[in-house]
Amino acid sequence: MIENTEVPVFSVSEFVEYVNIALGQRRVSVEGEISGYRLNQNKWIFFDLKDENSIIGCFAAAWNLHAALEDGMQVVVHGVPRVYGKSGKFSITVDAVELRGEGALRRAYGITKKKLDQEGLFDPARKRGLPRFPEKIGVIASRESAAYTDFMRIVNARWGGLEISLFHVQVQGHRAIRDIVSAFEWFNTDGIQQGIQSLALIRGGGSLEDLQAFNSESVARAVFGSKIPIICGVGHERDESLADYTADVRAATPTHAATLMVPDREEVGGVVSDSLSSLSRSLEYALEWYGGRIHTSTLSIHASVRDTVAPIGALMHRFDVAGGQVHATIATLRHTCAQNALRLADYLASHVSSARQSLAFMDRTLGHMNPLTVLARGYTIVKRNGALITRKAHLKKGDELALTFADGSALTEVKHL
Amino acid sequence: MTLAKTKKDQSFQEAFDELEKIVKKFEEGKLDLDESISLYERGLELAAVCKKRLAAVENRVQEIKKKFGDLDD
């Protein structure tokens, strides 16, 4: 061997740093099977990645890995290769792990599901309802995905006037989990402030591998921690992601999520119209009912008036009858009076004529007794100083006497007795 | 493209809820005639508010700009 003095000589530390700078230029993705998995202090994860011929160590911070890992799982790790100075060990510092193969995915799914279930993340009791008529909604989806297009198509067909906040995320690949988790962080802070009332996490269907972000513990916890009620519509109907289980409302597909999230204007319009008809009917019914009552009341008043008036009528009738009787009585009395008057007149007439005869007789009798009549027959009335002298004995010589004849008086003197 | 702001004081939800309550009250049938008529008038108003809101067609989408220092998109 010939020494080449042109080649620089490093110290060990310098060399490790040199190698690390060279290795750190680019991220690597390596597929293999996990073995020797262990978790230190709940913080650091160590495992080996191997295939038929080779093995490489892997190191990760537990908070940075979102997949449930077990020995024997086929995975792709993403990270940066590095030599650790203290141990001289070469390993990959892993910042993301994707599960590969149905077996690994099923096992990870099973482990995570059991763990989260025990923690109560799927508890039906904590699930919230979505607002019936949201004005502002949030969507976590890939803007290029068919799922998002389908979702929006249905939303636009059903309802208008919405303010929709789209948080674009990768829905598969190693970035998916971080994107989705940061979307939830945004909605839990700014989204809440903006008054977003419900949230949809959507993705089209795919293989277990495609959907693994939605089966990750991190996304499930982000869904669980959402302050805004959330509906999850991932994959086709047969796919049940852990995000689905954790969400307040689970939709079978993205389009189904749209129908559960926003009302349908046709349907609501129908309800409004039905409400109006119901109100009109009820009012008509009420009016009819009150009308009926008024009618009944009127009848009742009629009846009551009739009951009151009838006795008065009877009384009037009786009064009329009585009046007739009074009339008849008066007529009878009048007739009787008239007859009595006639009889009285006859009676008076007959009495008057007999009285007249008596009178004539008495007149005649009186005529005989009248002194003047006697004088006419030759008798004379003698008075002295006005006093009647009927005897000679009352006279004395020289008395002046007044003599009254039928046709006048004369004065005389007694001369001889 | 602007959002049709049909609500002034009352959101669609509030108007719709109030309308439903009025219908329910009518169905319970414990109203006197005066109440019936004034509630009926209120129902008409609310239905008009709802229908106006139902006429809104456009939805507005805003995309959230991430500020978490993420890489490409």
Side-chain angles (χ1 to χ4, degrees):
Chain A
M1 294 280 276
I2 300 164
E3 285 196 3
N4 186 347
T5 51
E6 297 299 314
V7 175
V9 176
F10 295 107
S11 70
V12 174
S13 294
E14 281 170 349
F15 178 68
V16 168
E17 193 182 341
Y18 172 78
V19 169
N20 281 342
I21 287 169
L23 289 172
Q25 295 298 312
R26 56 176 297 180
R27 290 164 54 81
V28 295
S29 300
V30 182
E31 181 171 350
E33 184 190 316
I34 290 174
S35 73
Y37 176 89
R38 68 184 194 280
L39 179 65
N40 260 13
Q41 300 163 6
N42 241 2
K43 281 185 195 164
W44 316 114
I45 292 168
F46 300 91
F47 60 87
D48 292 326
L49 200 63
K50 64 178 185 180
D51 60 15
E52 295 80 12
N53 301 315
S54 302
I55 186 162
I56 179 93
C58 292
F59 163 78
W63 53 264
N64 212 14
L65 282 201
H66 306 288
L69 303 178
E70 257 187 358
D71 283 356
M73 280 180 175
Q74 192 73 14
V75 298
V76 174
V77 300
H78 304 277
V80 178
R82 191 175 170 82
V83 173
Y84 276 83
K86 285 186 178 172
S87 64
K89 200 180 169 194
F90 176 71
S91 65
I92 301 171
T93 301
V94 176
D95 54 33
V97 175
E98 285 178 76
L99 303 181
R100 278 294 154 90
E102 192 77 4
L105 290 162
R106 288 260 165 249
R107 279 161 63 192
Y109 179 89
I111 294 165
T112 311
K113 187 179 176 189
K114 188 176 171 190
K115 180 181 172 187
L116 299 182
D117 193 18
Q118 282 171 349
E119 278 188 43
L121 266 71
F122 311 144
D123 185 1
R126 65 167 290 279
K127 294 195 185 298
R128 298 161 291 191
L130 302 176
R132 194 171 173 194
F133 301 109
E135 314 247 336
K136 295 182 179 181
I137 64 173
V139 184
I140 301 172
S142 165
R143 76 166 91 77
E144 288 92 14
S145 65
Y148 174 67
T149 309
D150 289 347
F151 176 86
M152 284 306 298
R153 182 169 47 80
I154 300 298
V155 165
N156 288 331
R158 288 172 66 87
W159 200 244
L162 287 167
E163 284 186 50
I164 301 168
S165 299
L166 167 69
F167 198 109
H168 168 73
V169 294
Q170 298 287 345
V171 290
Q172 70 187 80
H174 68 277
R175 293 242 351 242
I177 292 171
R178 275 184 301 164
D179 275 7
I180 294 169
V181 169
S182 60
F184 277 102
E185 283 166 2
W186 185 88
F187 280 111
N188 279 343
T189 51
D190 298 35
I192 288 266
Q193 276 181 3
Q194 289 183 16
I196 291 168
Q197 297 159 292
S198 56
L199 196 53
L201 172 62
I202 52 175
R203 188 205 189 284
S207 65
L208 258 185
E209 207 166 302
D210 293 337
L211 294 179
Q212 64 180 291
F214 293 84
N215 286 325
S216 71
E217 185 175 334
S218 303
V219 168
R221 287 195 188 283
V223 170
F224 182 80
S226 176
K227 293 177 183 168
I228 301 171
I230 172 159
I231 181 167
C232 194
V234 174
H236 298 303
E237 289 189 39
R238 56 187 163 74
D239 300 320
E240 288 177 333
S241 73
L242 297 184
D244 282 327
Y245 281 122
T246 314
D248 293 299
V249 179
R250 193 204 157 214
T253 61
T255 50
H256 185 217
T259 62
L260 293 178
M261 197 174 191
V262 299
D264 179 48
R265 62 164 71 81
E266 298 290 327
E267 193 184 313
V268 174
V271 172
V272 171
S273 297
D274 287 353
S275 298
L276 265 187
S277 326
S278 164
L279 284 186
S280 299
R281 263 200 317 279
S282 300
L283 187 66
E284 274 171 32
Y285 177 78
L287 288 175
E288 243 170 58
W289 189 76
Y290 282 104
R293 275 189 55 179
I294 289 167
H295 182 64
T296 312
S297 302
T298 311
L299 287 181
S300 146
I301 289 167
H302 269 294
S304 134
V305 166
R306 197 179 54 223
D307 291 350
T308 313
V309 164
I312 293 173
L315 204 61
M316 291 293 282
H317 180 66
R318 284 170 59 195
F319 188 72
D320 274 349
V321 171
Q325 284 173 348
V326 168
H327 264 286
T329 309
I330 288 170
T332 310
L333 283 177
R334 197 174 276 159
H335 182 67
T336 310
C337 276
Q339 281 189 332
N340 286 345
L342 282 174
R343 281 166 59 195
L344 192 62
D346 286 351
Y347 175 79
L348 285 177
S350 66
H351 273 73
V352 165
S353 78
S354 75
R356 199 171 273 154
Q357 284 170 8
S358 305
L359 201 58
F361 171 74
M362 280 159 71
D363 194 30
R364 277 196 306 277
T365 310
L366 279 173
H368 292 145
M369 296 180 58
N370 188 340
L372 293 177
T373 312
V374 179
L375 292 180
R377 288 203 311 263
Y379 298 93
T380 307
I381 297 169
V382 180
K383 289 182 183 173
R384 186 184 52 207
N385 297 332
L388 200 56
I389 303 295
T390 55
R391 291 174 184 277
K392 185 194 168 190
H394 293 161
L395 293 176
K396 47 189 200 283
K397 198 178 165 185
D399 283 350
E400 269 190 4
L401 300 174
L403 304 176
T404 303
F405 303 93
D407 58 345
S409 299
L411 214 52
T412 186
E413 194 182 295
V414 180
K415 290 193 169 172
H416 182 65
L417 285 170
Chain B
M1 184 61 199
T2 50
L3 175 71
K5 273 270 180 189
T6 51
K7 68 163 189 177
K8 287 168 191 159
D9 307 312
Q10 206 170 25
S11 71
F12 184 86
Q13 175 93 55
E14 287 165 341
F16 191 86
D17 287 351
E18 196 184 337
L19 181 60
E20 277 191 325
K21 271 185 203 156
I22 288 176
V23 171
K24 203 173 169 192
K25 270 190 186 171
F26 265 94
E27 283 167 355
E28 283 167 0
K30 289 175 186 165
L31 299 170
D32 65 31
L33 197 56
D34 279 351
E35 275 178 310
S36 293
I37 288 165
S38 66
L39 276 180
Y40 178 73
E41 283 170 350
R42 180 69 184 142
L44 291 183
E45 279 173 26
L46 292 167
V49 170
C50 289
K51 286 192 167 172
K52 199 172 169 194
R53 175 66 180 74
L54 283 169
V57 179
E58 299 279 347
N59 290 310
R60 194 180 65 179
V61 179
Q62 62 149 347
E63 191 167 321
I64 306 309
K65 301 295 175 205
K66 285 175 269 187
K67 42 186 176 181
F68 296 99
D70 281 353
L71 304 169
D72 59 308
D73 252 324

